[in-house]
Each structure stands twice: as structure tokens, then as C-alpha cells.
Amino acid sequence: MKKFILRTFLFSLPFLAVEIAQAFLPINFFTHRLHEAIIYSSKNIPHNYPIYPNQKGKMTGYGDLCFNTKYAIPKDESYITDELGFRNDKFIKNPDIIIIGDSYTMGATLNQSQLLANQMMKNSDHKYSVYGMAPVNFSILDKMLKLGVINKPKYIIYERVERGEIPKLEHFKNSIADRLDYNYKNLWALGNMNVFLDKIFRAYVNNYAKAKITGSKGTGTQSRVDEKLFFYNTKEINPSDEWMNINISALESYKKYCDSIGSKFIYLPMPNKETIYFDKIPINKQPDYLMKTCRILKQKQIDYYPTVDFYNKFRSQDNRMLYQLDDSHWNALACELISKEMIKKIKNDNR
């Protein structure tokens, strides 16, 4: 029995060594997208925020729709994450503006200087301090405010891609047990211990080997009009009214919450690539989910930015792309344009 255990252990040593070696390699060694490289993968490793904190580096990324094909386009995804684990140049405890969002706000396919938060600061001549929190839901902000991690801002922008569910606001109870849990998880961040462990247990080397063996490629849908253009989902492009009502209900709760703390709420919808470039799929009619949603929000006096209208107007006057050809996310041009629009909207506000 002892010999069997010893042989099993010796046989397993090379595999264990490979798994442990992952912790010492660059975080993007086995990935083709920054989004995959810097987010905690293991639910068993204690952490308070979704992204590895205190990271800085350079990376060449590829889109999620046609990687490992001739249509894949290399992109500079140089990155910095702050002490909490959000993709900002530094932590800002007293921001004028907080952006809560998904992978668009996090800057998937963009480099650090092109992030929405950084572009808004740049395009306001640094009149406003802007802090990006992504990818997280609105409940994280409530938790951070109650714990005194961050102070309430003048403006809270909630960005969400059209296909994404807008989750219900779950209030942080701020009990003794909750605070102890938060502090316990923070202990694991000392010396980036939780990052070290997550890099081992996420087992990206296994996925990498499998992808190489099977010849894995992007599974996006190729445009029938432009062979270089790919889409994420060309079938489910108009969500149901039930889905819309659930999301509107969540936005109402966000607005009510912001009113209660004295912050101005602004909803920033991010249209699906399929909505803006519907004619490139092609389909006959532009999906109108966001336009219907925004009409209801206007009736309910929930402030929003009409992104679809802006993109449609831009396309009528300019041929430059607003989304990555090989990815479902916006490109640097779109991010810069929207950053300018948001600064303009805030400057026109009477607060």
C-alpha cells in the first residue's frame, strides 16, 4: 500500500509542478484576453473584489469572436489595477463620479489610457475625478459606502451592455459578521496571497493545452456583408418585455438609492454590436429593445444617455467603426466619444 501511494505521488509530481508553476508566470501567460487574465477564477479563494489588485503590465490581446483565425486582430491591452482590484491608475477615495459597469467599463480590448474613466478625466481637463468599478453590480457600491471604503460621489453612472441582466439591488447589512468577513478576505490580499493561489487553482494551463490540442477558435458569427466583421449573437437580439420590465425595476431601485444618498444617477446603456450594425448581419430592422426601454425610463424620470441615437447619428455621418471587428466590445473611438458626451451631460446638469 505504501509503495502504491509513493508511486502515485511520484507520478503526480510533474503535474503538480506544472500547476504550481502557473503562480510564478505572468497573469496573461495562458490567455488571449485581459478580461480572462486578471479576474479571480476560483470561488474558493477569499477576495472582496473581482480583479487581481496591484497589477501592472503589458499584454497583446485578441478579440473573443475569431481568435486563432486569420481575422484575429492584435490589440494593446496594457493594464494597471489599483489596491482594491479595479482597473484604475490609482484608488480614489473621494471621486466626483463613480462608474459602475461590466466589461465595457473594465476596458476589455482597450489599453489603460483608453478606459472610460480615464477618458472622462482627460476630456474634462481633469476637472472631475472619475473612478471605475467593474465588473461589479450596484450592490458592491452600497457595501463600499457602508464600510467607509469610498465616499459618496456627486454622480453615479451605471453602465450595462444591452444583453446583460441588471441585477436587483441587495443592500449590505453591515453587521459585525459582515465586517469580519470583509476584513478576513482582506487578510488574504496581503502580499497578494489570494492572487498567487488563484493562479494555481484556476488551472489555465489545462485549458490552454486543451485548446492547443483541439485547435480551438473563436465561434463568432461572420457578417455576410463584411468578412472581417464578426458578431456575438445574431439570433437572440430582441429581449422580451418581461426581461425589460425586470431591468427597469432594478434601475428604479438604483435611482431611488442614489436619491437617498444625495448622488445623481445616470444610466448608460451599451448597445449590442448587433443592434448598431444590424445592417451588416444583415437583418431588415434595427432591434428596438433599448429604445423602448429608454422611452419608459423617460416617463419614470430616470436619467439616461441615449447611446443608440448617438451611434445611429454618428454612423450616418462617419464610416469609422465603433466596435472591434473581431470582438463584441466597443473600440477606443467609441469610448472616447461617449466619454465626451458624458462630460457634456454632467456639465449641463444643474447640480
Side-chain angles (χ1 to χ4, degrees), residues 101-119:
D102 50 30
S103 53
Y104 280 74
T105 295
M106 196 194 82
T109 76
L110 303 179
N111 66 46
Q112 192 74 13
S113 67
Q114 296 167 337
L115 301 179
L116 180 58
N118 284 345
Q119 284 292 313

Side-chain angles (χ1 to χ4, degrees), residues 41-151:
S41 177
S42 174
K43 294 181 179 179
N44 297 320
I45 306 300
H47 58 278
N48 282 309
Y49 303 102
I51 294 178
Y52 292 170
N54 303 312
Q55 302 293 314
K56 183 177 182 180
K58 295 182 179 180
M59 176 179 178
T60 299
Y62 295 86
D64 58 354
L65 301 179
C66 55
F67 60 90
N68 290 337
T69 73
K70 67 177 182 178
Y71 301 105
I73 303 170
K75 302 168 187 66
D76 172 23
E77 290 191 90
S78 58
Y79 58 88
I80 300 172
T81 64
D82 62 34
E83 63 191 65
L84 294 185
F86 293 115
R87 197 178 171 197
N88 297 286
D89 294 355
K90 62 180 181 180
F91 173 62
I92 304 174
K93 187 174 178 64
N94 296 290
D96 297 309
I97 303 166
I98 285 178
I99 309 172
I100 302 170
D102 50 30
S103 53
Y104 280 74
T105 295
M106 196 194 82
T109 76
L110 303 179
N111 66 46
Q112 192 74 13
S113 67
Q114 296 167 337
L115 301 179
L116 180 58
N118 284 345
Q119 284 292 313
M120 287 182 66
M121 286 190 280
K122 172 190 170 186
N123 290 316
S124 69
D125 294 323
H126 294 274
K127 177 182 177 181
Y128 302 105
S129 57
V130 186
Y131 189 67
M133 293 167 42
V136 295
N137 58 45
F138 213 89
S139 301
I140 292 292
L141 176 62
D142 180 54
K143 179 178 181 178
M144 292 172 68
L145 289 173
K146 287 176 177 174
L147 288 170
V149 176
I150 199 166
N151 295 330

Side-chain angles (χ1 to χ4, degrees), residues 97-284:
I97 303 166
I98 285 178
I99 309 172
I100 302 170
D102 50 30
S103 53
Y104 280 74
T105 295
M106 196 194 82
T109 76
L110 303 179
N111 66 46
Q112 192 74 13
S113 67
Q114 296 167 337
L115 301 179
L116 180 58
N118 284 345
Q119 284 292 313
M120 287 182 66
M121 286 190 280
K122 172 190 170 186
N123 290 316
S124 69
D125 294 323
H126 294 274
K127 177 182 177 181
Y128 302 105
S129 57
V130 186
Y131 189 67
M133 293 167 42
V136 295
N137 58 45
F138 213 89
S139 301
I140 292 292
L141 176 62
D142 180 54
K143 179 178 181 178
M144 292 172 68
L145 289 173
K146 287 176 177 174
L147 288 170
V149 176
I150 199 166
N151 295 330
K152 68 176 183 180
K154 296 176 183 175
Y155 296 90
I156 297 174
I157 298 172
Y158 179 73
E159 173 273 315
R160 190 69 171 175
V161 69
E162 179 179 352
R163 70 172 63 87
E165 178 185 1
I166 300 178
K168 180 182 177 182
L169 176 58
E170 300 287 346
H171 290 276
F172 183 66
K173 295 179 181 178
N174 203 18
S175 65
I176 293 175
D178 290 331
R179 293 195 295 273
L180 287 173
D181 179 70
Y182 181 85
N183 291 327
Y184 166 74
K185 290 176 179 176
N186 268 351
L187 288 175
W188 285 81
L190 294 175
N192 280 351
M193 179 168 56
N194 50 8
V195 173
F196 181 87
L197 292 173
D198 188 73
K199 287 168 69 179
I200 294 175
F201 288 104
R202 67 185 185 177
Y204 274 8
V205 63
N206 303 342
N207 298 335
Y208 179 81
K210 181 180 178 181
K212 285 295 183 182
I213 293 171
T214 60
S216 177
K217 297 178 181 179
T219 57
T221 301
Q222 191 171 28
S223 165
R224 297 197 300 273
V225 177
D226 181 352
E227 67 172 7
K228 296 180 180 179
L229 183 62
F230 288 78
F231 295 97
Y232 177 75
N233 186 343
T234 59
K235 296 179 180 179
E236 300 173 8
I237 55 178
N238 251 329
S240 66
D241 288 346
E242 181 183 4
W243 174 270
M244 179 176 62
N245 291 332
I246 291 172
N247 285 346
I248 289 174
S249 178
L251 290 172
E252 285 184 284
S253 69
Y254 297 174
K255 166 68 162 56
K256 184 177 180 181
Y257 177 84
C258 289
D259 288 346
S260 72
I261 64 171
S263 297
K264 174 68 179 288
F265 175 75
I266 303 173
Y267 171 48
L268 175 60
M270 280 294 124
N272 295 337
K273 186 178 182 179
E274 294 81 359
T275 295
I276 302 304
Y277 291 98
F278 69 99
D279 54 322
K280 299 289 187 181
I281 296 175
I283 55 176
N284 294 326

Side-chain angles (χ1 to χ4, degrees), residues 251-319:
L251 290 172
E252 285 184 284
S253 69
Y254 297 174
K255 166 68 162 56
K256 184 177 180 181
Y257 177 84
C258 289
D259 288 346
S260 72
I261 64 171
S263 297
K264 174 68 179 288
F265 175 75
I266 303 173
Y267 171 48
L268 175 60
M270 280 294 124
N272 295 337
K273 186 178 182 179
E274 294 81 359
T275 295
I276 302 304
Y277 291 98
F278 69 99
D279 54 322
K280 299 289 187 181
I281 296 175
I283 55 176
N284 294 326
K285 185 180 177 182
Q286 184 173 43
D288 62 353
Y289 167 76
L290 279 183
M291 289 178 277
K292 289 193 298 184
T293 299
C294 289
R295 282 196 294 268
I296 296 173
L297 294 179
K298 187 175 182 179
Q299 294 171 1
K300 293 179 176 291
Q301 297 183 325
I302 297 175
D303 201 4
Y304 65 91
Y305 183 76
T307 320
V308 174
D309 292 341
F310 176 80
Y311 281 176
N312 285 345
K313 183 178 180 180
F314 179 87
R315 283 199 66 201
S316 70
Q317 301 170 348
D318 197 311
N319 290 326

